[in-house]
Amino acid sequence: MGKFQVIDHPLIQHKLTIIRDKDCGTKVFREVVNEIAMLMAYEVSRDMPLEDVVIETPICETTQKTLSGKKVAIVPILRAGIGMVDGILELIPAAKVGHIGLYRDHDTLEPVEYFVKMPEDIDARQLFVVDPMLATGGSAIMAIDALKARGGSNIKFVCLVAAPEGVKALQEAHPDIDIYTAALDEYLDKDGYIVPGLGDAGDRLFGTK
Ligand code: URA
């Protein structure tokens, strides 16, 4: 089973409270989502491989560590996932970004990919799939299905708020992936909203309703 980690650093908890507040406006919401994503990226990237490099300091020659060049791609699930991309890019500026948009057809219940644009070499990349809310787990599961079908194998899922129902569904469907969240909330209500949650993350990020 992959890792499940709640990244509950005090700075992250503080910032999450700011965006949970219904009176937080679009500008601050957008900024703080990116700040939380950046702080989470620090932990999510903790196991990035390092290699030795020989350098010269002003004093002497020395062998030190450098990132081994394992490439990263951030994969936001449209649309709310886009809100987390810039924050992660602050820490990992060379990452590529692949976008994925899906919905489930109401009649056939089959997932429909309406937009998928990935870097060519996703099989060689560490993939960070991002979506602020892990609610039922449906879109995360479909997105990861789509990435695996294209050769992606090294996948981490990163969200801000997770419902226990979504974590369970995602772990059952994709036991190999690591899941990181800033908070594990109580439950999903009958309309599919996470409680206490923060409302519709896409609407709050983009000022729609
Ligand atoms: N998606 C959201 O944006 N919010 C929720 O609470 C659940 C799903």
Side-chain angles (χ1 to χ4, degrees), residues 133 135 192-194 199-201:
M133 311 302 276
Y193 283 100
I194 299 177
D200 186 305

Side-chain angles (χ1 to χ4, degrees), residues 145-164:
D145 284 340
L147 292 177
K148 286 184 174 175
R150 287 169 173 78
S153 60
N154 193 351
I155 301 171
K156 293 174 188 269
F157 181 81
V158 188
C159 61
L160 303 188
V161 180

